[in-house]
Amino acid sequence: MDWQAFWLTARLAILVALVLVMVGLPIAYWIAYSRWRWKFLIEAVVALPIVLPPTVLGFYVLVAIGSRSPLGRWWQALTGHTLAFTFEGLVIGSILYSLPFAVQPFAAGFASVDSRLIAASSTLGASKVRTFFRVILPLSVPGLVTGVALSFAHTMGEFGVVLMVGGNIPGVTRTVSIAIYDKVQAFDFAAANQTAAALLVLSFVLLSLVYAMNRKVWATWTWK
């Protein structure tokens, strides 16, 4: 078991999930309640990583953060190195790749809130911000839990994007999925099986907890 790769992947997944909460909530709120005629174009852009080959997304992320890009040159001037093949670059690529796995459940949770409750909150004089935190957000807990869990689990298991953007640098960009690939390439199937089994169990437990929590939340809300 490559524990160095495991803990690096866990740190990456936690950071990506936290960033996606901050970035994904405003996007999901806009998607759920916007009446813009061309909103479907934004929805398509957000969902694009689901159908786009990871190597394609990884390639364009690599171009966007490379030494020839404005972002890459700015980062290099600031830190002395480029974003490509660094942990920071992995974070950027993983955020883009896991974005739909957070935004879509968030938006579904927001859209499921009864519009009459939102209208009642507005009638009572509550601002949109207060309505969001006191009405919409509490009633969207299942969607929020699902989005955070899916983005975390998806980041833990991603391969193509992290390999394209970060390469395979032990302790820096070598994630669990890349470690499994390396073991298979070296015909060390026992070690690959051990790491893969650990990731499988972790993903199963995480998803089971999500479904159990969502079922409990909905059962409690229905009873009330």
Side-chain angles (χ1 to χ4, degrees), residues 22-210:
M22 295 183 289
V23 175
L25 286 178
I27 298 174
Y29 181 87
W30 183 86
I31 289 176
Y33 297 111
S34 174
R35 296 182 178 180
W36 185 44
R37 180 180 180 182
W38 303 100
K39 182 178 70 173
F40 66 90
L41 295 175
I42 305 301
E43 292 178 293
V45 170
V46 171
L48 197 58
I50 295 178
V51 298
L52 199 64
T55 49
V56 173
L57 179 62
F59 170 74
Y60 284 114
V61 172
L62 187 61
V63 171
I65 66 177
S67 58
R68 296 183 179 181
S69 69
L71 178 60
R73 289 196 297 269
W74 172 80
W75 184 263
Q76 188 169 13
L78 186 67
T79 63
H81 59 82
T82 62
L83 277 169
F85 307 110
T86 64
F87 182 78
E88 293 81 3
L90 283 188
V91 172
I92 295 175
S94 299
I95 288 172
L96 294 174
Y97 192 44
S98 297
L99 183 64
F101 293 89
V103 170
Q104 291 188 348
F106 292 169
F110 293 156
S112 67
V113 177
D114 193 336
S115 59
R116 292 173 297 181
L117 297 177
I118 301 175
S121 177
S122 179
T123 301
L124 292 173
S127 65
K128 288 187 177 181
V129 174
R130 185 176 178 84
T131 298
F132 176 77
F133 284 104
R134 297 297 296 273
V135 178
I136 299 175
L137 200 60
L139 296 178
S140 305
V141 169
L144 302 181
V145 172
T146 301
V148 172
L150 288 181
S151 60
F152 176 86
H154 189 251
T155 303
M156 286 289 294
E158 64 184 344
F159 175 76
V161 170
V162 295
L163 185 61
M164 290 288 292
V165 176
N168 186 6
I169 307 174
V172 180
T173 62
R174 189 185 188 189
T175 61
V176 170
S177 57
I178 296 176
I180 294 173
Y181 177 78
D182 285 345
K183 296 298 182 182
V184 172
Q185 290 292 100
F187 297 100
D188 189 354
F189 295 109
N193 178 63
Q194 186 179 22
T195 306
L199 196 59
L200 175 63
V201 171
L202 176 64
S203 300
F204 176 76
V205 171
L206 181 61
L207 291 177
S208 298
L209 289 173
V210 169

